[in-house]
Amino acid sequence: GIPEELPTLVICGGPGVGKCTLASKLLGETARPTETSFDQVWTLDNKYYTARVKVVVFNGQAEDLPETVASKCEALLTMFDLSRAETFETLKSWGTFIEEQSPSVLLCIANKTDLVSEADRMLRDASLDWSVQNGLEFVECSALQGCDPATSSLLGEE
């Protein structure tokens, strides 16, 4: 099994927002995360440090995250589909979690930006405001266009 004492990276958000794809990219081709359950150890190894982290993909509201996972959460990657407003609503429950648990790394990932026109940016603005209010770094990305280059160093890739 996976050691319980490892710091935990939680990737959370509603169904179909890209959590499993992100976890697969972080962990490599052998990882097979699913929407319902996934945890695996990820070894971050760069020129500054080597660390082992438990990665948990979580589908749902913050209050449903098991306490054994919540208490070890050192990094929280919230994720939503910028073309579907209801997926952002799911993230709002994580504001209280952030206050109570104070993870060291906080990201809000607005995925599928390629599906949103420049004229329809109200959700982007609302999610950016929410991210700032809750202390999360805001990142936009899409499977077609990739993520902001600044993200790669935040995810431990050098």
Side-chain angles (χ1 to χ4, degrees), residues 11-67:
I11 303 172
C12 66
V17 298
K19 300 178 305 293
C20 296
T21 302
L22 176 62
S24 293
K25 290 195 181 294
L26 291 175
L27 297 164
E29 295 301 317
T30 59
R32 298 282 180 248
T34 67
E35 286 283 347
T36 55
S37 68
F38 177 78
D39 62 47
Q40 184 172 326
V41 174
W42 178 32
T43 301
L44 291 95
D45 190 10
N46 62 38
K47 64 183 179 182
Y48 301 108
Y49 59 85
T50 298
R52 293 183 59 208
V53 177
K54 178 179 176 179
V55 177
V56 174
V57 174
F58 187 73
N59 189 36
Q61 306 287 325
E63 56 269 15
D64 298 326
L65 186 68
E67 178 56 32

Side-chain angles (χ1 to χ4, degrees), residues 33-111:
T34 67
E35 286 283 347
T36 55
S37 68
F38 177 78
D39 62 47
Q40 184 172 326
V41 174
W42 178 32
T43 301
L44 291 95
D45 190 10
N46 62 38
K47 64 183 179 182
Y48 301 108
Y49 59 85
T50 298
R52 293 183 59 208
V53 177
K54 178 179 176 179
V55 177
V56 174
V57 174
F58 187 73
N59 189 36
Q61 306 287 325
E63 56 269 15
D64 298 326
L65 186 68
E67 178 56 32
T68 55
V69 176
S71 65
K72 299 290 184 194
C73 182
E74 291 293 329
L76 180 68
L77 276 60
T78 62
M79 198 166 197
F80 72 101
D81 179 339
L82 196 55
S83 68
R84 295 176 21 228
E86 70 276 9
T87 63
F88 175 63
E89 291 302 316
T90 301
L91 297 187
K92 290 183 177 178
S93 72
W94 291 89
T96 301
F97 176 87
I98 292 166
E99 281 181 38
E100 293 172 355
Q101 299 297 331
S102 300
S104 300
V105 177
L106 294 167
L107 287 177
C108 180
I109 302 171
N111 198 16

